[in-house]
Amino acid sequence: MTKEEMRIICVIPARAESSRFFEKPLALICGKPMIQWVYEHCLEVEEFAEVYVATDSDKIKDAAESFGAKVIMTKSTHDTATERLYEVSTKIDADLYVMVNGDEPLLKREAIIQCIPDSIGEGELYVSNLMTDFTNPVEVVDATNLKIVTDSHHRCLFISRSPIPYPKGSLDYVYQKFVGVGAFNHAALDFYHETPRGPIERMEENDSFRFIENNVPIYYYNCHTKSLSVDTRKDIEGVEAYMRGESK
């Protein structure tokens, strides 16, 4: 199936019960809720037939609907955003589901579309994600940032919170970090839901290993864009500074 034949929908998962930042999607950035920034950028992607906010919070639902977003209410028991996306896939039919994390207010159309494939083969489990270059060496050793290593065909070899690859033989390497955008077809989401966590997924606390540990390819594409995901209230200062042109 070619990209032109696919029904592609975008889902923005948004939960209120973050232990580090309660009701994070509603945090104001330059006067607007963070999730509104994400939603408006997703609306710019003409490949999306629909854009939805998926949440378990009535407060987030009310806020999203106040700026015109379509909302799908999901269970509050999901451990991961991907499991929330799976629930959406049982309610809304599509050929491809693109998940844009609600804490990525700087990502725009040019970056988001890079996870959409030109075609998907019959019976294929398709999963892709985005990454970008680290620009600050300090971030490379920060365990909150996921480091991505791919082969020459963009297939993910490994993901870690540790700096990988280790620079034993050379320092001539640009490290890549995870960006919160991913694309999944129905078959991939069904596989994810039906497959138990493996030992590496449990150790790294990264559900991409649900596929990697079972030899299902994940493709990572470098979108070469500024990514400032918001994990704490302090991060908002950096995002606002960037939006105002105070930081490059």
Side-chain angles (χ1 to χ4, degrees):
M1 180 181 295
T2 66
K3 178 170 61 177
E4 291 72 25
E5 296 171 320
M6 295 180 201
R7 173 174 165 79
I8 306 171
I9 70 164
C10 173
V11 178
I12 306 167
R15 67 188 183 100
E17 300 294 329
S18 171
S19 58
R20 287 188 293 177
F21 194 162
F22 182 67
E23 294 184 344
K24 180 171 66 172
L26 302 181
L28 293 181
I29 296 177
C30 295
K32 288 197 297 192
M34 176 164 59
I35 194 159
Q36 184 174 353
W37 286 104
V38 178
Y39 181 78
E40 289 174 353
H41 289 320
C42 291
L43 286 181
E44 296 169 359
V45 181
E46 59 268 24
E47 287 85 354
F48 292 156
E50 303 282 355
V51 178
Y52 296 93
V53 172
T55 186
D56 57 3
S57 164
D58 288 331
K59 191 171 181 179
I60 293 175
K61 172 181 180 293
D62 291 343
E65 289 181 340
S66 73
F67 57 77
K70 296 181 178 180
V71 178
I72 299 176
M73 295 302 291
T74 55
K75 298 176 183 176
S76 61
T77 53
H78 295 308
D79 293 327
T80 67
T82 312
E83 195 63 40
R84 195 178 304 278
L85 182 66
Y86 167 77
E87 183 184 348
V88 172
S89 76
T90 67
K91 299 177 178 181
I92 306 293
D93 190 46
D95 300 302
L96 191 71
Y97 300 84
V98 176
M99 179 168 63
V100 180
N101 287 0
D103 59 2
E104 291 275 8
L106 296 183
L107 290 183
K108 296 184 179 180
R109 176 194 178 277
E110 293 75 16
I112 295 169
I113 63 172
Q114 293 185 49
C115 70
I116 300 175
D118 291 331
S119 64
I120 298 176
E122 185 176 354
E124 178 183 357
L125 274 65
Y126 182 82
V127 187
S128 69
N129 287 97
L130 298 184
M131 62 183 182
T132 194
D133 299 340
F134 280 103
T135 56
N136 184 348
V138 175
E139 291 184 328
V140 177
V141 297
D142 185 346
T144 62
N145 293 315
L146 298 173
K147 274 66 72 173
I148 316 295
V149 176
T150 61
D151 66 15
S152 59
H153 299 286
H154 307 288
R155 179 168 174 167
C156 181
L157 296 174
F158 202 76
I159 306 171
S160 184
R161 298 182 183 277
S162 300
I164 55 171
Y166 184 81
K168 181 177 184 296
S170 173
L171 295 175
D172 185 19
Y173 184 79
V174 178
Y175 287 83
Q176 281 85 43
K177 67 177 178 178
F178 174 83
V179 173
V181 178
F184 308 76
N185 66 354
H186 244 304
L189 289 172
D190 289 344
F191 177 89
Y192 178 93
H193 178 70
E194 295 164 2
T195 304
R197 293 179 177 179
I200 301 176
E201 179 181 345
R202 289 194 294 269
M203 288 177 65
E204 289 272 359
E205 293 189 344
N206 183 333
D207 65 346
S208 290
F209 285 105
R210 194 80 55 94
F211 300 104
I212 296 170
E213 290 186 78
N214 291 283
N215 201 33
V216 175
I218 296 182
Y219 298 96
Y220 269 86
Y221 299 100
N222 195 324
C223 58
H224 298 287
T225 192
K226 184 70 173 179
S227 172
L228 288 173
S229 62
V230 176
D231 295 316
T232 66
R233 292 189 184 278
K234 184 70 174 176
D235 294 331
I236 290 179
E237 296 177 12
V239 172
E240 288 186 323
Y242 185 83
M243 285 182 172
R244 292 171 178 147
E246 298 169 14
S247 176
K248 302 299 182 184

